[in-house]
Amino acid sequence: MVSEFLIPITEGSAMNELLVHSILLRCCLALILLPLLELVNRLIVLLQDKTYIYDINSLTILDTIDTVPNLKGICAFSPSLDGCFLALPASITKGSLLLYNVMELQLHCEIDAHLAPLATMVLSSNGMYIATASEQGTMIRVHLVSEATKSYSFRRGSYPSTIFSLSFGQCSQVPEILVATSSSGSVHVFPLGFAINQSRRSGGFLGSIMLDSISDALDPAHHHIVHNAVPAGIKSYAVIRKVDRVADTSSSEIVACRATLAIITYNGYFQEYNLSLSNQNEFSRSLDCEFNLLTAIANNDVRL
């Protein structure tokens, strides 16, 4: 597995090459202090309208990508040697994105994911799937990277909401879980691994002749919600830290999965949930721990 570093720098146009290289040197010093990193191949620096791909060992610029204005630093990266992709917005007026193969240093494809501009996106750890949300925030879409085709479409809700973060569970093939945090304060859990048989837009004649906006309205709300996980309006970021799969002993079919979900909020709180999902669409969760990071750090009592 390759380790990745992304540095979004979007504070204006005053950023110059000297400052970029200064940041790179600081990153390299940090790497000396991280003996657990066995292999680091790429460092990606995002500016407002340019993206640099570096070989972190030699600090050589391998590629420079001109981008649309990216004031929010929206991007996604997959740290896999077999699927090492970088995703960047392709438009400021619609939800299209560009996927670059970071190892081969070439454009892989462009995906038109949403009608509205992108709000956030994430690549699965193996680089097989990319999940996206637009500024409208009602639909979460998952595309297969190799074919640039939509694999899943989930309705988060009927009313617009800002999607703050998306996170896949670690996987070797299809991720079992995708989670999203939003301005509503709820956490949405989408069981991808158990949604293989959901209706797809390209799967039938009716879907093939309908517009995306219409056919998406027919997609099932196949997900679970952790209500009021954080206060409404507070920006939050979620990461699936661990996924355990439970298989049927007679058929080896995955019948359930358990996940550890970590959430950090911009008002300084950390939460950790234990999630459980089954192939019968059963869902349970429990809050394992919650504390104020600022208080815990001040008291030297952070144990994650």
Side-chain angles (χ1 to χ4, degrees):
M1 178 171 289
V2 96
S3 296
E4 84 277 15
F5 285 82
L6 293 95
I7 306 176
I9 305 170
T10 58
E11 292 296 328
S13 58
M15 185 62 59
N16 56 47
E17 186 174 351
L18 179 62
L19 182 53
V20 170
H21 280 279
S22 174
I23 293 172
L24 294 181
L25 290 174
R26 294 188 182 194
C27 288
C28 290
L29 290 174
L31 292 179
I32 297 174
L33 303 176
L34 296 174
L36 295 180
L37 291 180
E38 297 178 357
L39 180 62
V40 177
N41 286 333
R42 297 291 185 263
L43 184 145
I44 299 166
V45 179
L46 273 69
L47 304 185
Q48 180 173 310
D49 54 6
K50 287 184 183 295
T51 298
Y52 295 94
I53 302 176
Y54 285 80
D55 182 309
I56 199 169
N57 297 309
S58 64
L59 293 186
T60 301
I61 297 178
L62 300 176
D63 200 4
T64 302
I65 304 169
D66 292 321
T67 64
V68 298
N70 190 6
L71 299 177
K72 297 179 180 179
I74 298 172
C75 63
F77 187 79
S78 57
S80 171
L81 288 174
D82 296 325
C84 195
F85 293 104
L86 170 68
L88 297 168
S91 172
I92 59 174
T93 59
K94 63 178 183 177
S96 59
L97 61 97
L98 298 175
L99 275 162
Y100 291 87
N101 188 310
V102 177
M103 303 306 293
E104 298 178 4
L105 301 176
Q106 63 181 15
L107 178 65
H108 174 70
C109 66
E110 180 173 349
I111 296 175
D112 292 323
H114 303 268
L115 296 178
L118 293 170
T120 187
M121 53 186 170
V122 67
L123 279 154
S124 61
S125 59
N126 58 9
M128 289 182 62
Y129 292 91
I130 183 165
T132 59
S134 74
E135 291 181 353
Q136 187 175 8
T138 55
M139 299 297 301
I140 308 294
R141 296 200 174 100
V142 180
H143 285 77
L144 181 63
V145 170
S146 60
E147 300 178 9
T149 55
K150 190 179 75 173
S151 296
Y152 306 93
S153 187
F154 297 104
R155 181 172 293 281
R156 179 212 56 81
S158 301
Y159 297 98
S161 181
T162 301
I163 304 298
F164 291 137
S165 72
L166 295 168
S167 177
F168 281 113
Q170 291 287 326
C171 60
S172 58
Q173 292 296 320
V174 178
E176 266 74 18
I177 303 175
L178 170 69
V179 300
T181 61
S182 71
S183 56
S184 68
S186 298
V187 175
H188 299 261
V189 182
F190 306 94
L192 270 66
F194 300 132
I196 295 293
N197 296 322
Q198 84 169 97
S199 299
R200 296 182 183 177
R201 179 173 63 88
S202 60
F205 173 74
L206 181 61
S208 67
I209 62 174
M210 296 176 70
L211 296 174
D212 279 352
S213 58
I214 300 176
S215 61
D216 276 345
L218 303 179
D219 286 344
H222 187 77
H223 75 284
H224 307 280
I225 304 175
V226 180
H227 292 284
N228 303 316
V230 300
I234 299 296
K235 192 171 184 179
S236 57
Y237 189 86
V239 174
I240 301 175
R241 297 178 61 185
K242 181 182 179 183
V243 176
D244 294 319
R245 299 159 183 84
V246 180
D248 187 296
T249 54
S250 60
S251 65
S252 299
E253 178 188 1
I254 302 298
V255 296
C257 67
R258 302 184 184 96
T260 301
L261 173 67
I263 303 172
I264 189 168
T265 68
Y266 269 48
N267 61 345
Y269 280 88
F270 174 87
Q271 297 176 330
E272 190 168 270
Y273 283 88
N274 292 318
L275 309 178
S276 178
L277 301 100
S278 77
N279 60 357
Q280 301 298 317
N281 204 29
E282 298 170 337
F283 174 74
S284 64
R285 90 277 186 175
S286 62
L287 180 61
D288 185 58
C289 68
E290 179 180 21
F291 54 84
N292 187 301
L293 282 169
L294 301 178
T295 302
I297 292 172
N299 296 335
N300 196 25
D301 190 33
V302 177
R303 300 182 182 91
L304 301 182

